[in-house]
Amino acid sequence: GICLSAREACGGRILSTSVFLNELRRKDIRVWAEGDRLRCSAPDGVLSAELSETIRQRKEEILAFLRIADTVAQQHPAIVPLRAKGNLTPVYAVSGHNGDVFAYVDLVRHLGERQPFFGLHPPGLDGHSKPLTRVEDLAAYFASQIRSFHSSGPAIIAGYCAGGAIAFELARQLEKSGMQIRFLALFGCPYPANYRFIARLPYWMGRILLHLRTVMKLTSMREASGYLKQRLARRIETARTEGRPMSEDVDSVMKFQLEQATIKAVRRYVPSRFPGRLIQILPVRGWMKSNMGATRWRSVVMNAEEVFGPDTCNPATMLLDPDAPEMAALFSRYRDLDARQER
């Protein structure tokens, strides 16, 4: 139930644009836009031929990212226009626990040019604000900016992974303030209670039983002792890694603090009833029987439906290619049906 950044989800195969630019900045490589041209400066010996070629190949996406960043700086800091234009009901989407709104980029591309789509950027990543520690406060922060930015008409709210709890509360607050929410779309979002330790007990009991079965098959106490010591050492090292940022640079520390604050906020959140329509877009049918709590969302909404990706869908990368087209098609089915019913 933990969300991955674009880089992590692809196993290092690609870097999201924001992460790639952060990597350049750490090397003291500066890039900026001059019209349709991308400029670059770097200390002597830092910009290798391979890295220079990578920047050249990614020129268009970097320029697009810089334009978006410039627009955000001049408007509402929480609202990132992943596609600003279009004549369909706009979507406002909360990302996972790491705040990476660009996790939606592949999905947006497959939704088509008529679909306005705005990512919601949480406080805590700009070096000036601190992460909010309550889901209700995060939702209120986003709701205030959406009401200011979204002059009239209905909206669709979306959430991914841990961001589903924030999206749920955001839809509630916007609906209560009088905004019409066509529907709430949750992409693979565990129920908040499933982030609590007690909900993970079946998982840990299963792991313990698995290790006990392995120990029973070993032929000597020495082998058993060695196996258990090795597994315990790995678990301790994993806990240490999860309990600290990947590196000590400012960006990594801010991202780590945001992730920790978001997970704690979701863990404490208890959803109240939402009178609108909830569409759960789940990666695979097995999610309904897993420990992710998909069925529990039904208890807090008036109208809930679930749709599923193919059995080949990877839950950890469901918003990225190659699974993004299928997720976009599932979302579009409800979007287009809603549009027809409105006419």
Side-chain angles (χ1 to χ4, degrees):
I2 301 298
C3 321
L4 302 177
S5 68
R7 174 178 60 176
E8 295 162 334
C10 295
R13 177 169 52 85
I14 61 172
L15 291 173
S16 70
T17 309
S18 58
V19 173
F20 179 63
L21 291 177
N22 281 337
E23 294 288 339
L24 294 181
R25 186 165 60 181
R26 276 194 282 272
K27 297 177 184 291
D28 204 21
I29 300 172
R30 179 172 169 260
V31 295
W32 69 96
E34 288 184 0
D36 292 330
R37 303 181 72 177
L38 184 65
R39 299 294 192 182
C40 178
S41 68
D44 291 341
V46 173
L47 190 60
S48 65
E50 181 182 5
L51 185 53
S52 180
E53 176 62 18
T54 302
I55 294 172
R56 188 191 67 78
Q57 291 177 355
R58 301 184 69 164
K59 172 188 170 183
E60 294 305 321
E61 68 180 81
I62 293 172
L63 284 172
F65 179 92
L66 293 174
R67 292 189 192 104
I68 289 172
D70 184 59
T71 301
V72 171
Q74 297 176 34
Q75 296 183 351
H76 302 74
I79 298 177
V80 180
L82 300 176
R83 177 169 285 123
K85 297 181 180 180
N87 59 357
L88 298 174
T89 302
V91 179
Y92 295 91
V94 183
S95 57
H97 74 304
N98 55 27
D100 183 10
V101 297
F102 295 98
Y104 284 107
V105 167
D106 286 350
L107 179 76
V108 172
R109 187 172 67 254
H110 293 293
L111 287 176
E113 295 182 359
R114 297 173 58 221
Q115 179 62 71
F117 199 106
F118 303 91
L120 297 174
H121 188 72
L125 292 173
D126 57 4
H128 303 293
S129 57
K130 292 184 178 180
L132 297 177
T133 56
R134 296 176 68 248
V135 164
E136 294 85 349
D137 295 340
L138 274 161
Y141 172 77
F142 290 143
S144 173
Q145 297 212 21
I146 290 172
R147 284 193 296 266
S148 173
F149 177 80
H150 188 88
S151 57
S152 63
I156 296 169
I157 303 300
Y160 168 57
C161 202
I166 303 164
F168 182 88
E169 179 62 23
L170 172 61
R172 287 187 68 255
Q173 292 189 16
L174 288 173
E175 182 96 358
K176 192 173 181 179
S177 71
M179 181 178 290
Q180 183 183 3
I181 305 302
R182 292 287 195 210
F183 61 88
L184 167 64
L186 298 185
F187 291 91
C189 299
Y191 193 75
N194 284 65
Y195 285 91
R196 297 170 197 155
F197 178 76
I198 191 70
R200 302 289 290 169
L201 277 179
Y203 168 81
W204 291 115
M205 291 300 296
R207 297 295 297 175
I208 291 170
L209 288 173
L210 176 66
H211 293 314
L212 286 176
R213 290 192 195 103
T214 302
V215 167
M216 294 292 289
K217 294 176 183 178
L218 298 177
T219 58
S220 70
M221 287 296 293
R222 183 176 180 180
E223 282 185 298
S225 176
Y227 173 81
L228 291 174
K229 285 179 180 178
Q230 181 187 54
R231 299 305 306 179
L232 181 60
R234 287 185 184 177
R235 184 63 239 167
I236 291 172
E237 180 57 31
T238 299
R240 279 200 196 117
T241 303
E242 291 174 348
R244 62 174 184 248
M246 292 178 65
S247 68
E248 297 303 317
D249 66 89
V250 174
D251 290 333
S252 292
V253 171
M254 286 193 299
K255 181 182 174 185
F256 175 77
Q257 291 173 342
L258 173 69
E259 291 171 349
Q260 296 295 300
T262 303
I263 291 298
K264 287 179 182 177
V266 171
R267 211 172 266 153
R268 292 194 297 262
Y269 178 61
V270 179
S272 298
R273 193 160 182 80
F274 172 55
R277 185 183 187 192
L278 167 65
I279 309 299
Q280 286 199 77
I281 301 176
L282 303 176
V284 291
R285 191 168 292 274
W287 254 61
M288 291 301 293
K289 296 180 180 179
S290 72
N291 66 345
M292 296 300 180
T295 56
R296 294 190 65 180
W297 285 113
R298 295 176 179 173
S299 66
V300 290
V301 293
M302 185 174 295
N303 184 348
E305 298 176 58
E306 296 87 23
V307 289
F308 311 94
D311 291 339
T312 55
C313 180
N314 183 344
T317 58
M318 62 183 291
L319 294 184
L320 302 175
D321 289 335
D323 294 321
E326 184 67 31
M327 298 301 109
L330 293 173
F331 176 87
S332 298
R333 180 193 307 174
Y334 286 94
R335 177 198 65 189
D336 298 342
L337 177 62
D338 180 81
R340 287 195 295 271
Q341 290 175 343
E342 185 63 19
R343 292 190 191 121

